[in-house]
Amino acid sequence: MAEPVLLVDRSDPRVAVLTLNRPDRRNALSIELMEALGRAFVAASADSGRRAVILLGAGPVFCAGLDFKEAQEASNSHRSANALASLYKSMCACPLVTIAAAHGSAFGGGAGLLAACDLAIGTEDLQLGYPEVRRGLVAALVSCLLRRQVPGRRLREMLLLGQTLAAGEALHAGLLNRVVAAESLLDEARLLAAAVMDCAPGAIARTKRLLDELDGLEADMARALDIHLHARDAGEAAEGISAFFEKRKPNWAAARPSGL
């Protein structure tokens, strides 16, 4: 019997622990995993006794991003994009305090999971980035989340250059709340979850809803999905993803520009 792509630990009645469980694929976000994770956040939201959700990754890394092998198939492209948008919306709509605890690396859509959570902790060895432009893609959905957390100039540098940040840089940029030793990652996440218990659950839920409404998140995500899909269908994306698998530099001159 195949291992589940998502492990759900409800042993603590107040804190759900969700673990991405595709370590052989560096926890790449397949459609199955994104849909399972979205359902888990909806289920946690409906549990009246639950106060927080901790998100982890099994194996050597937190999440490598979208499963390009799956997403590059024409029949999966739009379904994958919509699954990612739906997942981010489910995470942002969750009335509980959501805590990402990341180790190893988190890139693209995987780093977006950190941005979608209320709080994010990273290990000292964490490498984080949004390399979409290096693959001919646009970090459109992620940008809606990041602009709530990162100043404009810094955000442009991150998204337009697609470079990798070390944990300390990510902390300074506002992508992380804490940087801790690897052996302390889950303990630190549980300490943050414990602090949530001192706060009124209704007040937390209303505060989260207010912040999202002030940011205009829902309308931004709808526009971002259109841009994300347009980039997925363009020649640059096909060239960038092929180059990624072939371990070579993309030939952008030969690719059809994505347009605006």
Side-chain angles (χ1 to χ4, degrees), residues 3-10 16-22 27-45 53-56 70 79-80 82-88 90-91 94 113:
E3 281 280 312
V5 296
L6 180 70
L7 303 179
V8 181
D9 181 356
R10 300 188 183 91
V17 179
L18 310 179
T19 303
L20 310 177
N21 191 40
R22 300 185 74 211
N27 294 322
L29 294 171
S30 64
I31 293 170
E32 181 186 11
L33 176 54
M34 288 187 284
E35 291 179 346
L37 190 55
R39 290 193 298 269
F41 273 98
V42 170
S45 301
V53 179
I54 295 173
L55 182 60
L56 305 169
E70 177 186 73
R79 185 181 169 198
S80 174
N82 280 286
L84 184 62
S86 179
L87 170 58
Y88 287 158
S90 296
M91 294 176 70
C94 181
L113 297 178

Side-chain angles (χ1 to χ4, degrees), residues 27 56-63 101-106 121-123 125-126 182 185:
N27 294 322
L56 305 169
V61 304
F62 176 72
C63 182
H103 69 291
S105 60
I121 307 167
T123 54
D125 68 338
L126 180 66
L185 183 62

Side-chain angles (χ1 to χ4, degrees), residues 89 141 144 217-227:
K89 289 177 185 177
L141 295 168
C144 298
L217 184 62
E218 187 171 346
D220 286 350
M221 288 287 279
R223 171 60 177 150
L225 180 59
D226 287 341
I227 294 173

Side-chain angles (χ1 to χ4, degrees), residues 115-253:
C117 284
D118 298 309
L119 305 171
I121 307 167
T123 54
E124 294 165 338
D125 68 338
L126 180 66
Q127 299 285 305
L128 187 152
Y130 303 90
E132 279 85 345
V133 290
R134 293 171 177 257
R135 310 280 182 259
L137 298 167
V138 178
L141 295 168
V142 169
S143 70
C144 298
L145 306 170
L146 290 176
R147 60 191 288 267
R148 307 186 300 172
Q149 302 161 7
V150 180
R153 290 288 184 189
R154 191 68 172 114
L155 178 61
R156 285 175 179 267
E157 180 179 350
M158 288 165 47
L159 298 185
L160 295 178
L161 302 185
Q163 295 175 333
T164 298
L165 304 179
E169 295 175 295
L171 178 68
H172 183 70
L175 297 172
L176 298 173
N177 296 95
R178 307 270 196 285
V179 174
V180 301
E183 61 270 19
S184 303
L185 183 62
L186 182 54
D187 288 341
E188 187 69 23
R190 289 194 181 280
L191 283 175
L192 289 176
V196 172
M197 308 311 161
D198 295 329
C199 307
I204 283 179
R206 285 187 286 273
T207 299
K208 289 188 61 170
R209 187 166 65 246
L210 172 63
L211 292 172
D212 284 345
E213 289 174 354
L214 290 174
D215 285 330
L217 184 62
E218 187 171 346
D220 286 350
M221 288 287 279
R223 171 60 177 150
L225 180 59
D226 287 341
I227 294 173
H228 180 89
L229 288 170
H230 182 84
R232 283 273 196 106
D233 293 337
E236 286 182 345
E239 168 60 16
I241 293 173
S242 292
F244 172 75
F245 283 119
E246 295 165 12
K247 301 186 185 304
R248 60 173 174 82
K249 286 189 175 182
N251 181 6
W252 299 128

